[in-house]
Amino acid sequence: GVGRSTAREALKLLEQDGLVLVERGRGRFLSSLSALHVERPVTRFESTTSMLAALGFEAKTLVLAVTEDKPTDAERDALDLASGGSVIRLERLRSHHDEPLVYSVDTFPRELIPGPVKHVNWAGSITDLLAAQGHLMVSSAARLQAVELPADPAERYQLAGYGPWLLITERAVSTDGRHILYAQGYHRGSLFAFNVLRR
């Protein structure tokens, strides 16, 4: 029920993803890659709130701090901010039955959220909050590395002694290509793993 050009384009995309193989003179065939399925692929873009719910955690969010501030050099670069701009920096802890799961620091340009910061419910999904303001996040560039939690939050929030954490540092962009979020999420190394298909 679709035109030939639409069908050709769809098959071309499946071929680029490695799901379909083309054998000249014989036709198109499903590749062996189509038989593999990965739970929680590292390439899937989702909010931490959605990820924790999908993993079965009844996560509670504790807002540790919300500040309006000048960006650090790293934040300014990640968000492509002009000098003079300010940011909102949100520090939170997600836990499950009093077990810490994720410590995070999310930073975004101040102008994305109208009104005073004290009038905003910061416990929910930042992805949903920004989308409600017309800034839909569609993708991000992420870096994953095993680290120890920085000494300051580890001491201040009694998070020492949980072993290495999986730090995911992300720069997220909206549908119009604007950098709208710089996130640093420290995930408990003993509780979280992400998977990837290799080919």
Side-chain angles (χ1 to χ4, degrees), residues 126-165:
I126 296 303
T127 303
D128 293 345
L129 176 66
L130 291 172
Q133 299 301 322
H135 307 288
L136 179 64
M137 279 186 262
V138 291
S139 60
S140 71
R143 179 177 186 211
L144 288 75
Q145 62 188 116
V147 299
E148 292 295 333
L149 196 64
D152 181 53
E155 183 178 320
R156 191 176 340 144
Y157 306 120
Q158 292 84 43
L159 297 173
Y162 286 102
W165 296 66

Side-chain angles (χ1 to χ4, degrees), residues 73-105:
D73 290 341
E75 291 166 340
R76 183 178 290 109
D77 290 345
L79 295 170
D80 282 338
L81 294 175
S83 59
S86 62
V87 296
I88 295 174
R89 194 173 300 114
L90 174 62
E91 189 179 4
R92 301 186 296 179
L93 180 66
R94 283 28 168 327
S95 61
H96 174 76
H97 301 304
D98 298 324
E99 275 289 306
L101 300 173
V102 180
Y103 166 77
S104 62
V105 180

Side-chain angles (χ1 to χ4, degrees), residues 21-29:
L21 296 174
V22 176
E23 294 184 19
R24 300 237 183 263
R26 291 194 60 217
R28 291 181 172 89
F29 302 90

